[in-house]
Amino acid sequence: MRLPPSDLPVTGALPALLSALAEAGVAVLTAPPGAGKSTLVPLALLDAAWLGSQRVVLLEPRRLAARALAARMASLLGEEVGATVGYRMRQDTKVSRVTRLEVVTEGVLTRMLQDDPALEGVGAVLFDEFHERSLQADLGLALTIDARANLRPDLRLLAMSATLDGSR
């Protein structure tokens, strides 16, 4: 899959980010709003060699934003939502057997981790808008870190934010 051409600021950071995820397995990405964190980064991960045929799960805290984000990424690929990019939230799901990138809300991620603590078939979990802290997002992060530490050392983890202090 080839990313559409983009002049968004995050484009220049993609090689270093992909390298960090390949080597360390974890990363924090800070960039201003509109830089392409939510759209270009998840799509770029789909081509990562370490991902193979596994899926990417992108946590988006708000339902409306999750739907809009999935629609935007699908349109960048020239597809409908539910093909390569889909979404999953309470009482509303658009995924298929070919979906490789799922935008999910906080409660869905928690349920996914409860049903399958190892997140089999998932290669990366991305926490978008990480500065918007909530009990559900923190629980999702804790369970994902636990899965990575104890069950899936190959699981990649990325936190993205416009306001988070990434150096810490």
Side-chain angles (χ1 to χ4, degrees):
M1 171 178 313
R2 182 163 157 66
L3 279 177
S6 174
D7 59 354
L8 291 173
V10 78
T11 304
L14 287 176
L17 176 63
L18 292 171
S19 177
L21 287 171
E23 294 170 18
V26 296
V28 174
L29 175 64
T30 58
K37 295 180 303 295
S38 302
T39 54
L40 293 184
V41 170
L43 292 175
L45 293 182
L46 294 177
D47 288 332
W50 51 261
L51 186 64
S53 63
Q54 297 181 98
R55 291 174 293 135
V56 173
V57 172
L58 171 62
L59 175 70
E60 184 63 42
R62 295 172 311 283
R63 294 169 56 98
L64 184 61
R67 273 191 217 98
L69 185 54
R72 175 67 180 143
M73 287 189 288
S75 74
L76 287 172
L77 298 176
E79 299 177 355
E80 295 291 321
V81 174
T84 302
V85 180
Y87 65 79
R88 190 181 303 266
M89 60 192 69
R90 183 173 40 96
Q91 298 178 349
D92 190 8
T93 297
K94 272 200 165 180
V95 296
S96 68
R97 61 178 179 75
V98 297
T99 301
R100 296 198 55 225
L101 170 55
E102 288 187 34
V103 183
V104 303
T105 52
E106 295 167 337
V108 171
L109 178 62
T110 301
R111 281 194 307 279
M112 288 173 71
L113 285 155
Q114 288 173 327
D115 292 344
D116 179 11
L119 288 179
E120 294 297 330
V122 174
V125 180
L126 286 59
F127 290 82
D128 194 19
E129 306 292 350
F130 193 69
H131 57 275
E132 293 185 17
R133 305 293 300 275
S134 72
L135 181 59
Q136 283 282 51
D138 286 356
L139 177 60
L141 177 63
L143 292 172
T144 303
I145 289 171
D146 185 58
R148 183 167 159 39
N150 297 304
L151 302 170
R152 292 277 314 282
D154 64 319
L155 182 64
R156 276 28 182 226
L157 176 59
L158 173 63
M160 302 186 295
S161 173
T163 61
L164 194 65
D165 179 8
S167 63
R168 289 179 40 203

